[in-house]
Amino acid sequence: MSRFVRKGKPPAGFDCIAPTLSMLENELRDKVAEGHEGKRKTESLWPIHQITWQRSRYVFDMHYKYKKISRQVYDYCVLNKLVDAGLIAKWKKPGYERLCSTYVINTKNYKFGTVSICRVPKHSLGADTIVEDPVTGCLGCASGPGGQRNIFGNKYGQYLAAIQVAREDENARREASKAALAAAAAKSDGGESMPNKGGDADTDEDGESGGESDAEGPQPDSIWAVNEKERMMETADGVSGCGGEQQQQQQQQQQHWRRSRIKAAEVLNTGAVVIQTAKAREGKRDEMPHGLIWKLEPVNEKERMMETADDVSGCGGSSSSSSSSSTGDGPESKRPRY
């Protein structure tokens, strides 16, 4: 009996991902039963981590990126533990889009409270540094430019959702081209010669389709990539609502604003107008051009007329007046000190 049947009736739309999940389950069963002679102690566990990652990434991309399955199907997979919910939750956060496993970010699993070397960005490593996590076999799952496209270096690191969607689009394109050729042939044919010419048209169509199959190849039965184009497919970046470019831009804007406020505090002794200008811009930083955030000097007449020397402590305000009054000869100079 299938694993999916034992867990109750799946919702509508589950048939879209059921063949791929069944094939991955069979692959995992074969790898578990496979012998481990000649392998390292932890190397025999690599297929388990990698197939779990691929199965979770497949369902994640089919729902969030390609919208091929509904929320009910996605929740069904999560509730029945067909995917790793903890790993998917990490993928939604910026910086963890390619995370291979939650094991590699648990500081209790590594010495000195650190994480795995596969989480170190590539630009922070040396040119000859070999990256391979001993538990998962990951070659580098850090986010950012220059990252590892296939984090495992084998078929388990491929993005099956992108491959499936590309094959479906290719099938739709071929069916549309065949229908267009058949319609054109039927339109040009007429009278009693229509069956013969139609047969010739079918022969020509088959010949052209055979040419296409020779050039492009028939659609394979395997869920994994069969050519270099499919191996280069990647869907980790740009996923909407999953810590993509939008959240990174928001973080960069917040960092720029903090830096501008720090600079404004550093020049406090040179003039309080700068501080007042920064405070005035605080509520309108979303409306202002990006370049004005870095300018600490006033940019218009309203900001030039601002004056806060009497309100800011340490800027020649009350301290200067008290010092001048204390040195005077009037009765104010004889005031007692508290």
Side-chain angles (χ1 to χ4, degrees):
M1 183 180 295
S2 175
R3 175 183 179 183
F4 310 122
V5 176
R6 296 196 305 267
K7 292 182 177 296
K9 184 179 180 180
F14 185 77
D15 297 337
C16 180
I17 61 175
T20 302
L21 293 180
S22 298
M23 193 168 293
L24 288 175
E25 183 182 5
N26 295 333
E27 183 75 13
L28 180 61
R29 186 183 296 108
D30 295 340
K31 290 297 178 180
V32 170
E34 189 180 33
H36 54 82
E37 290 78 8
K39 297 182 180 179
R40 288 175 288 178
K41 184 177 180 180
T42 58
E43 191 174 354
S44 59
L45 299 177
W46 287 5
I48 299 176
H49 290 280
Q50 295 172 4
I51 294 176
T52 301
W53 180 91
Q54 192 173 47
R55 183 169 54 188
S56 302
R57 171 60 67 177
Y58 170 71
V59 176
F60 177 80
D61 288 341
M62 291 294 285
H63 174 64
Y64 283 102
K65 184 173 180 63
Y66 299 107
K67 311 297 182 183
K68 294 293 184 179
I69 59 176
S70 62
R71 184 70 186 185
Q72 290 75 15
V73 176
Y74 175 78
D75 292 339
Y76 174 82
C77 296
V78 173
L79 293 176
N80 292 288
K81 298 182 179 180
L82 301 179
V83 296
D84 189 348
L87 184 59
I88 290 179
K90 287 296 181 181
W91 286 340
K92 298 178 182 179
K93 298 181 180 179
Y96 296 91
E97 294 87 358
R98 304 177 186 220
L99 182 65
C100 62
S101 175
T102 54
Y103 183 92
V104 300
I105 59 174
N106 190 352
T107 57
K108 296 180 180 179
N109 298 328
Y110 299 91
K111 296 179 180 179
F112 309 110
T114 58
V115 295
S116 175
I117 191 175
C118 67
R119 294 297 304 159
V120 181
K122 191 174 183 180
H123 60 81
S124 300
L125 297 171
D128 300 332
T129 304
I130 299 176
V131 178
E132 186 181 72
D133 184 75
V135 178
T136 63
C138 178
L139 304 179
C141 58
S143 302
Q148 189 77 14
R149 184 179 299 273
N150 189 327
I151 64 175
F152 300 121
N154 52 26
K155 66 178 183 180
Y156 301 133
Q158 299 173 3
Y159 295 88
L160 301 183
I163 296 173
Q164 178 177 337
V165 172
R167 290 176 181 175
E168 292 176 355
D169 295 341
E170 180 65 19
N171 287 332
R173 185 186 66 81
R174 293 184 182 183
E175 293 295 334
S177 62
K178 289 181 180 180
L181 290 174
K187 186 177 181 180
S188 61
D189 294 340
E192 297 178 355
S193 61
M194 183 175 179
N196 296 329
K197 291 185 178 180
D200 296 337
D202 293 339
T203 304
D204 296 339
E205 181 184 344
D206 294 337
E208 291 184 3
S209 64
E212 288 182 0
S213 62
D214 293 333
E216 301 177 359
Q219 293 297 326
D221 296 333
S222 175
I223 62 174
W224 290 283
V226 295
N227 51 43
E228 190 63 24
K229 182 179 178 181
E230 291 182 347
R231 293 188 188 95
M232 295 298 291
M233 290 181 178
E234 183 178 6
T235 58
D237 297 335
V239 180
S240 59
C242 302
E245 298 178 355
Q246 184 177 3
Q247 293 185 0
Q248 294 180 0
Q249 291 177 359
Q250 293 178 357
Q251 288 183 352
Q252 291 178 359
Q253 292 178 358
Q254 293 177 0
Q255 291 178 359
H256 293 336
W257 179 246
R258 293 192 192 99
R259 291 172 183 173
S260 64
R261 294 302 301 271
I262 292 174
K263 288 186 177 181
E266 290 177 353
V267 297
L268 180 63
N269 296 328
T270 61
V273 178
V274 176
I275 304 299
Q276 185 67 15
T277 303
K279 290 181 179 179
R281 295 176 185 174
E282 183 175 3
K284 299 181 179 181
R285 62 178 183 270
D286 296 332
E287 303 175 1
M288 296 177 61
H290 181 68
L292 295 181
I293 296 178
W294 293 97
K295 293 183 179 181
L296 299 178
E297 66 274 5
V299 294
N300 51 38
E301 190 63 26
K302 181 179 178 181
E303 293 181 352
R304 293 190 189 96
M305 297 300 294
M306 292 180 180
E307 184 179 0
T308 58
D310 295 337
D311 299 334
V312 180
S313 60
C315 298
S318 59
S319 60
S320 60
S321 61
S322 61
S323 61
S324 61
S325 62
S326 61
T327 55
D329 298 333
E332 295 180 358
S333 60
K334 298 181 181 180
R335 288 181 302 176
R337 296 181 179 179
Y338 297 99

